Amino acid sequence: MDATPNSGKGIDAPPPPEAYTHAPDLLREIHQVLAPGAERAWLLRRKALMDRRALDDPGPVPVAAAAETAEQLVLHDRRHLDLAAGPHHPDTITLAWPTQMSHAHDRHLSQPATSDKEPQNMGGKQKTLAILAGAALAAGLAGPAFGATTAHSPALRTAATGAGMSVVEWNRELVTILSDPKAQPSTVQPTRSFALLQAAEYDAVVSITRAGHAYVFSVTAPRGARADAAADQAAHDVLVALYPARRAGLNQRLSSQLSAISGGPGKQAGIGVGAEVARRLITLRSNDGSSAKPPRFRPGDKAGDYRPTPPNFPTPVFTDWGSVKPFVLADGRQFRPAPPPAVSSAAYATALNEVKSLGSKTSTTRTPDQTAAAKFWAAAPVWNVWNQITQNLVTSQNANLEKAVKVFARLDLSLADTAIAMYDAKYVYHVWRPVTAIRLGGTHYNPSIVGDPSWTPLLPTAPDPSYPGAHGALSQAAATTLAGLYGARHHFAVTSKGVTRTFTGFQDAATEAWLSRIWSGQHTSLDNHAGQQLGTQVADFVAGRL
């Protein structure tokens, strides 16, 4: 018999159009097969087939085959948490065999390590194997092969994690609080608050999911504790401790967040975990030096010495912040940059003359886009901008709770420690700002610099020494962190004060951020390069320990 390919003629099978009438969406299938999670997609399809077979014939052999595939799928997800999907974390699957299948071969799926106080075997002989609806639920499958009765089996014991949107909302809450300049003492650097918030949420979640190493505390959590409730409670308690005047509004937000979580002992257990983590963290950081009264700043009078800047000559800020205990680093000096070139050097003259040309308020060499970028990156605190970028990332990627707390914890711990290290260096080297150097150029401290007593930067100068640059350090720390989590090339947009700028990668944004400080007359390239190096070192160090 002649058989015609692609037509069905001469073949005892339905023609292709009929055969694929009820097939899954083609583009979706192609994506699954070609995506980095191709192995997982294959396991999911194999699991579905084995489950259907076991449902049709619940004998020992089909059930054992389904169980073996379930084990392979859960173990795969534990090895590749970035590819896992579904409402439950693979570490939380503890399904016992359905009673009607108890005659199947015993197979044990090892659980992740738990606290010494947590029972390793609930009930002594519980068989922890994800099968049928349990494996489907963990993997994110849904379909007629998995009945609701099995999905709600009392054998299912999970630490439900929830979505990461609540983490974004608490982060936004802190940004809103800090928009009030009276929210906290002006001597306290805001990155500390972000670090405390995100570290508390992270440790609260990890205490329950055991999905990673804790930042500081791993609190014993009862089985079934809700990680989302823990994160919400931890965030609330940290912010109330930092901003007690905001208690009413924070209580309202907590009530709203917790109302979305079904009641029961798991919810209450999660709340207890979050409260305990927050209490411990706040206690730990209560003597970190952040509340110490800064010493009075004494400006220098030699060439290169920092002094307050025109037009208002404000008192320098965060003069003792470099002495605050870091969150992850050993101390603020750990990655202190090398001393800058002398202000009498050719390197300094080249860098300053660049600022003199591009950073002047009346510059004719700065482009309109450079002017726009300079104003954009100065419109809001740079740590706010990077937290906003991260909010958008977590939201657009539909990150789960564990991913969200990890991303924000790495970001804000890196920013907080970069700020400490940056201020350590600033007040060790005491380098004057470009506006001072240009206006005093006529004192002949450098023969390659021509002074201009009336030179004015595009934007008012920040009240602290020039070296290293804050935007360079903080933006590089943020970009390094996010690139490590999402990849270097990631197109995104960010809006600040009604202005939107787009970037093709995190490094593109960081580079523009530090260049903007040259275009606004704030920093030299020497400041920025030192800041970039510092931010990279701190972010890499934090990533290696979280």
Side-chain angles (χ1 to χ4, degrees):
M1 178 186 298
D2 293 334
T4 304
N6 302 322
S7 68
K9 287 185 177 180
I11 300 175
D12 188 15
E18 180 181 341
Y20 292 105
T21 299
H22 301 292
D25 178 75
L26 177 60
L27 293 178
R28 180 184 177 88
E29 289 285 282
I30 291 174
H31 172 75
Q32 288 181 338
V33 172
L34 297 181
E39 179 184 359
R40 185 174 193 274
W42 180 85
L43 285 171
L44 285 172
R45 298 192 67 173
R46 176 180 171 85
K47 183 71 189 77
L49 292 172
M50 294 300 100
D51 284 353
R52 290 174 61 188
R53 184 184 175 206
L55 286 171
D56 290 342
D57 177 16
V61 174
V63 168
E68 182 175 4
T69 311
E71 180 178 356
Q72 293 172 354
L73 176 59
V74 175
L75 289 175
H76 173 277
D77 280 359
R78 288 184 181 176
R79 294 192 305 269
H80 306 282
L81 293 178
D82 57 322
L83 298 178
H88 301 292
H89 190 278
D91 283 351
T92 68
I93 305 302
T94 54
L95 261 175
W97 285 93
T99 303
Q100 68 271 27
M101 299 181 182
S102 60
H103 58 279
H105 300 296
D106 288 355
R107 294 182 62 88
H108 293 266
L109 185 60
S110 61
Q111 290 298 102
T114 58
S115 166
D116 293 338
K117 297 182 181 179
E118 292 182 343
Q120 294 291 326
N121 190 337
M122 300 294 289
K125 196 178 179 181
Q126 178 181 330
K127 302 170 180 65
T128 55
L129 181 64
I131 185 173
L132 301 176
L137 188 59
L141 282 176
F146 311 105
T149 55
T150 310
H152 292 287
S153 166
L156 180 60
R157 303 175 58 86
T158 70
T161 55
M165 194 60 202
S166 64
V167 184
V168 172
E169 291 175 356
W170 285 110
N171 187 270
R172 287 175 176 161
E173 183 74 22
L174 177 54
V175 172
T176 300
I177 291 172
L178 290 172
S179 66
D180 178 1
K182 297 180 180 179
Q184 66 183 26
S186 60
T187 56
V188 177
Q189 225 287 331
T191 53
R192 177 180 184 268
S193 299
F194 283 101
L196 283 169
L197 169 66
Q198 305 309 159
E201 287 190 280
Y202 177 82
D203 273 2
V205 170
V206 171
S207 290
I208 293 173
T209 65
R210 306 291 176 179
H213 297 292
Y215 158 59
V216 177
F217 302 113
S218 183
V219 176
T220 300
R223 290 191 180 277
R226 291 289 301 243
D228 43 5
D232 286 333
Q233 190 69 47
H236 166 271
D237 290 5
V238 164
L239 294 183
V240 167
L242 295 175
Y243 308 102
R246 301 284 182 139
R247 179 183 292 273
L250 293 168
N251 286 350
Q252 184 176 3
R253 174 165 291 282
L254 177 64
S255 177
S256 175
Q257 296 288 97
L258 292 179
S259 67
I261 302 173
S262 57
K267 178 178 179 178
Q268 293 305 313
I271 290 172
V273 169
E276 179 62 15
V277 167
R279 184 191 67 79
R280 292 191 188 185
L281 188 57
I282 289 295
T283 300
L284 177 71
R285 298 297 304 188
S286 62
N287 295 309
D288 61 6
S290 60
S291 60
K293 183 178 180 180
R296 181 180 178 184
F297 179 78
R298 299 184 183 280
D301 57 4
K302 297 183 177 63
D305 287 350
Y306 176 73
R307 61 210 70 183
T309 53
N312 298 323
F313 301 94
T315 301
V317 296
F318 306 121
T319 54
D320 201 38
W321 200 253
S323 299
V324 170
K325 179 178 175 57
F327 285 83
V328 183
L329 301 184
D331 58 55
R333 302 169 295 174
Q334 185 169 336
F335 296 114
R336 182 183 290 170
V343 295
S344 58
S345 67
Y348 184 79
T350 299
L352 185 67
N353 285 330
E354 179 184 36
V355 180
K356 184 181 179 183
S357 173
L358 289 171
S360 170
K361 190 171 185 177
T362 58
S363 173
T364 58
T365 56
R366 185 180 58 243
T367 69
D369 186 64
Q370 290 171 342
T371 300
K375 294 179 178 179
F376 174 87
W377 286 101
V382 69
W383 49 87
N384 282 12
V385 176
W386 284 102
N387 270 280
Q388 181 187 341
I389 289 170
T390 306
Q391 292 167 9
N392 295 340
L393 277 169
V394 168
T395 302
S396 66
Q397 298 286 309
N398 195 27
N400 62 23
L401 180 63
E402 291 166 355
K403 177 75 170 184
V405 295
K406 180 179 181 179
V407 171
F408 275 107
R410 276 200 194 175
L411 172 76
D412 285 310
L413 289 171
S414 294
L415 289 175
D417 275 9
T418 298
I420 292 170
M422 174 188 75
Y423 282 112
D424 165 77
K426 278 180 177 288
Y427 288 104
V428 163
Y429 296 123
H430 284 270
V431 177
W432 61 12
R433 286 282 185 159
V435 63
T436 306
I438 294 170
R439 290 191 175 192
L440 294 179
T443 59
H444 309 297
Y445 65 87
N446 189 315
S448 298
I449 296 173
V450 177
D452 182 353
S454 63
W455 188 88
T456 300
L458 173 65
L459 301 174
T461 300
D464 57 32
S466 198
Y467 182 92
H471 276 60
L474 295 168
S475 292
Q476 192 63 37
T480 301
T481 298
L482 295 179
L485 292 163
Y486 289 98
R489 310 308 299 175
H490 193 99
H491 190 277
F492 64 95
V494 60
T495 301
S496 180
K497 305 297 183 181
V499 177
T500 300
R501 295 187 71 82
T502 59
F503 305 95
T504 58
F506 302 112
Q507 188 59 59
D508 293 342
T511 299
E512 183 181 271
W514 68 257
L515 284 172
S516 76
R517 306 307 279 171
I518 295 176
W519 302 330
S520 62
Q522 305 290 302
H523 284 290
T524 68
S525 60
L526 299 174
D527 305 332
N528 291 329
H529 291 153
Q532 280 185 293
Q533 181 181 20
L534 177 61
T536 300
Q537 291 173 317
V538 173
D540 285 343
F541 187 84
V542 171
R545 283 152 183 80
L546 193 64

